[in-house]
């Protein structure tokens, strides 16, 4: 639709739901077809999507109508509408599925929703202009970025109180927690940086630069990669979480905002707010060629996967200690109709 902002991948990886802010609806994308298979009208200016752990429900924050739409992912219909605070912008669901946390930008608070009764059971005051929210895998802590306060509020889920306030960079927006729960990654939209928070000490342990206007972030399921959308550079950066180094920059649409990763970690989905489309990124296609001349190996140019278009990228197999006369065995699984072209390369 028009003005896609937030999006989410269903836990089974088969469905992506996109919040189209200017169309007042959500698009259901079949990930096998990479096609929109349904569209459902929700509230005004929907901005984010989060799924229940079983994937049966999707929660959509409607920033213009101050409510949350609860969607059935089976029927595609709105099952309930829940009133929350002023300008709800981001939503996250607890790992056990019993709570949904909604940040209300102009109320400066978080609405805590009981997902069984579809009612607000608590409201927690945070900083100024809260932007995004993420829950730790154990469900004990909720991280909320406060855009105008340049800090992060940490909510203790046992009593829904703020247990810590952490200073970060300028205009913090997107936030994500690592799969092991040890780190929270905060994007500083104006500061063009990422603050890394240790979730045990709730202290910033690292800060590194990214592109222009980092908006939203996702972590790969194995915790090795960050996927960051740069809203003003019109690209996505893939970051190694061990070195905090950028390992790939991928051009996408205009003003990329929301990002989500498939459960198997192979694919990222990016909502391009001013292109009205979603970019699908293969996270596996970041192998690099060995540039050392004289080192034996094999370069493979992969033009698949079969049935889908993909840019060709060379992948290098080899090592410094491999003899020139070595034999390489390439085994390909899970792919049909292979038509290989084999070329013998000169030494070096």
């Amino acid at each position: 639709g028009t003005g896609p902002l937030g999006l989410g991948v269903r836990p089974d990886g088969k469905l992506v739901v996109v919040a189209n802010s200017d169309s007042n609806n959500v698009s259901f994308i079949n990930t096998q077809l990479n096609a929109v298979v349904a569209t459902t009208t929700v509230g005004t200016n929907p901005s984010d999507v989060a799924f229940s752990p079983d994937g049966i429900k999707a929660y959509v924050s409607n920033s213009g109508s101050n409510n949350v739409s609860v969607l059935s992912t089976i029927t595609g219909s709105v099952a309930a509408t829940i009133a929350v605070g002023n300008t709800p912008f981001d939503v996250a669901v607890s790992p056990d599925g019993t709570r949904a946390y909604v940040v209300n930008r102009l109320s400066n608070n978080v609405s805590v929703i009981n997902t069984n009764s579809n009612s607000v059971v608590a409201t927690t005051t945070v900083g100024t202009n809260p932007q995004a929210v993420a829950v730790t895998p154990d469900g004990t802590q909720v991280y909320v970025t406060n855009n105008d306060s340049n800090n992060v509020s940490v909510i203790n889920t046992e009593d829904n109180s703020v247990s810590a306030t952490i200073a970060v960079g300028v205009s913090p927006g997107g936030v994500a927690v690592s799969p092991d729960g040890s780190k929270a990654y905060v994007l500083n939209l104006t500061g063009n940086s990422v603050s890394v928070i240790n979730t045990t000490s709730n202290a910033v342990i690292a800060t590194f630069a990214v592109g222009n206007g980092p908006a939203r972030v996702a972590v790969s399921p194995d915790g090795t990669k960050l996927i960051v959308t740069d809203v003003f550079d019109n690209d996505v950066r893939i970051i190694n979480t061990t070195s905090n180094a950028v390992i790939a920059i991928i051009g996408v649409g205009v003003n990329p905002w929301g990002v989500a990763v498939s459960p198997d970690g192979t694919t990222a989905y990016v909502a391009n707010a001013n292109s009205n489309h979603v970019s699908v990124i293969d996270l596996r296609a970041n192998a690099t060629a060995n540039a050392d001349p004289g080192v034996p190996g094999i370069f493979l140019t992969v033009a698949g996967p079969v049935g889908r278009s993909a840019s060709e990228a060379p992948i290098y197999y080899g090592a410094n200690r491999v003899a020139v006369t070595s034999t390489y065995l390439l085994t390909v699984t899970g792919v049909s109709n292979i038509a290989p072209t084999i070329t013998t390369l000169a030494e070096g």
Side-chain angles (χ1 to χ4, degrees):
T2 308
L5 286 179
L7 78 174
V9 184
R10 197 166 65 182
D12 64 2
K14 296 180 179 180
L15 187 72
V16 171
V17 177
V18 185
N20 303 306
S21 181
D22 296 336
S23 296
N24 301 329
N25 59 23
V26 296
S27 299
F28 291 80
I29 296 175
N30 180 310
T31 60
Q32 301 297 312
L33 305 174
N34 282 332
V36 174
V37 293
T39 303
T40 300
T41 299
V42 289
T44 307
N45 302 132
S47 55
D48 194 36
V49 179
F51 284 91
S52 59
D54 60 11
I56 294 176
K57 298 177 182 178
Y59 297 85
V60 180
S61 53
N62 302 304
S63 61
S65 53
N66 300 333
N67 57 27
V68 170
S69 298
V70 184
L71 302 180
S72 166
T73 63
I74 307 301
T75 65
S77 60
V78 176
T81 302
I82 308 165
V84 289
N86 193 343
T87 318
F89 199 63
D90 217 44
V91 58
V93 178
S94 63
D96 64 3
T98 63
R99 297 289 185 269
Y101 300 90
V102 183
V103 292
N104 304 303
R105 289 181 61 182
L106 298 186
S107 294
N108 300 327
N109 59 26
V110 174
S111 297
V112 183
I113 295 173
N114 180 315
T115 57
N116 292 319
S117 62
N118 286 329
S119 61
V120 175
V121 294
T123 301
T124 304
T125 300
V126 290
T128 308
N129 190 14
Q131 285 274 326
V133 58
V135 187
T136 55
D138 63 4
T140 62
Q141 296 188 106
V142 175
Y143 288 81
V144 178
T145 56
N146 303 304
N147 191 260
D148 292 348
S149 299
N150 298 332
N151 60 25
V152 173
S153 297
V154 184
I155 298 174
N156 182 327
T157 59
E158 185 174 351
D159 59 7
N160 293 315
S161 65
V162 174
S163 59
T165 301
I166 309 164
V168 288
V170 182
S171 305
V175 59
V177 177
S178 61
D180 65 2
S182 65
K183 297 176 181 177
Y185 298 94
V186 175
L187 304 188
N188 303 302
L189 183 67
T190 303
N192 298 332
S193 64
V194 177
S195 298
V196 185
I197 296 172
N198 180 308
T199 58
T200 300
S201 63
N202 279 325
V204 174
I205 57 174
T207 302
F208 57 90
V210 285
N212 188 14
R216 289 295 182 264
V217 57
V219 189
S220 62
D222 63 4
T224 63
K225 297 175 183 176
L226 293 184
I227 301 90
V228 175
T229 57
D230 295 320
V231 68
F232 302 126
D233 282 343
N234 301 329
D235 64 30
V236 170
R237 289 171 193 255
I238 313 298
I239 297 161
N240 181 303
T241 56
T242 300
S243 62
N244 291 334
V246 175
I247 58 177
I249 300 176
I250 304 164
V252 288
V254 180
N255 300 139
W257 191 263
V259 58
V261 181
S262 61
D264 63 6
T266 63
T267 310
Y269 299 89
V270 177
N272 302 299
N274 285 328
S275 294
N276 303 331
H277 60 50
V278 169
S279 297
V280 184
I281 298 173
D282 187 345
L283 294 176
R284 299 166 297 182
N286 61 0
T288 57
N290 189 321
D292 183 10
V295 177
I298 296 176
F299 284 93
L300 299 178
T301 299
V302 183
V306 174
R308 301 183 187 179
S309 61
S311 58
E312 296 187 355
I315 301 174
Y316 175 83
Y317 290 84
N320 291 347
R321 292 181 296 277
V322 176
V324 175
T325 56
S326 293
T327 299
Y328 294 80
L329 174 65
L330 173 65
T331 303
V332 180
T333 60
V335 180
S336 60
N337 302 321
I338 300 173
T341 300
I342 300 176
T343 304
T344 301
L345 304 181
E347 180 181 339

